[in-house]
Amino acid sequence: STLHAADYCGAQACKLWVENIIIKDHISNLEPNELRRLTENARACHADPLYEAASEELAKRAPVDVLAETGSQVLAELMDRHLEKRQRRTQELAVVNSNGTLLIYDTANGSTLRTIDAHNDDINCVAYSFDSSMIATASRDHTARLWNTDTY
């Protein structure tokens, strides 16, 4: 097999590459519950390359009911390693003024990061979404708008 040939030639990098291809091919064909069991077993046996690949695949495609049955250690590591993270915008502050402008400030240094002509009248309310991915504004012009914080 290709794996034995790579091992025989002493090509460790090639061997690891082939192992990863074989692992990814195998886990891509597993049902979600089989993938969950494989991930938990690989972690328990300290099979790091298999565990890394299986947990990544599990995070990508396992339904919530399968994840609910996952062991707490594996689930915590899935959250830390593989699920998309969004850095909170702890240094950003959204402020409005009386002419309908939304201002985004950097609280660390006080500079204005963005100025957005958001509404045609006073803005009554501004709020960040829970994950800081959106800002909502509401105005006296009877409109409410959502702003993507990545693109404004």
Side-chain angles (χ1 to χ4, degrees):
S1 83
T2 309
L3 186 57
H4 292 300
D7 192 32
Y8 178 76
C9 296
Q12 186 63 24
C14 183
K15 181 182 176 190
L16 291 174
W17 180 75
V18 171
E19 280 180 351
N20 284 331
I21 298 267
I22 292 168
I23 288 170
K24 288 185 179 187
D25 181 58
H26 175 71
I27 63 175
S28 67
N29 296 315
L30 294 176
E31 295 296 319
N33 274 312
E34 293 172 319
L35 183 58
R36 176 186 54 79
R37 284 190 295 276
L38 175 67
T39 303
E40 290 172 338
N41 290 338
R43 183 180 186 282
C45 295
H46 304 286
D48 295 337
L50 179 59
Y51 174 67
E52 184 65 31
S55 62
E56 182 178 355
E57 186 71 15
L58 185 65
K60 284 182 191 173
R61 64 182 179 94
V64 174
D65 61 324
V66 171
L67 289 175
E69 295 177 24
T70 305
S72 60
Q73 286 295 99
V74 171
L75 194 56
E77 289 174 6
L78 282 176
M79 298 290 285
D80 287 341
R81 288 180 157 177
H82 301 293
L83 295 183
E84 223 175 278
K85 294 179 183 178
R86 177 177 180 81
Q87 183 177 356
R88 288 197 166 270
R89 299 174 180 277
T90 55
Q91 291 186 320
E92 287 187 11
L93 176 66
V95 178
V96 296
N97 65 19
S98 61
N99 64 0
T101 303
L102 174 63
L103 303 163
I104 309 298
Y105 287 102
D106 184 338
T107 59
N109 61 24
S111 66
T112 303
L113 298 173
R114 298 212 180 14
T115 302
I116 304 164
D117 293 324
H119 293 275
N120 296 324
D121 205 343
D122 294 347
I123 298 175
N124 299 332
C125 181
V126 62
Y128 277 95
S129 64
F130 177 74
D131 66 354
S132 301
S133 66
M134 303 289 283
I135 295 176
T137 57
S139 170
R140 291 176 90 187
D141 66 7
H142 303 287
T143 60
R145 297 201 172 126
L146 294 175
W147 307 91
N148 182 323
T149 57
D150 288 330
T151 60
Y152 290 103

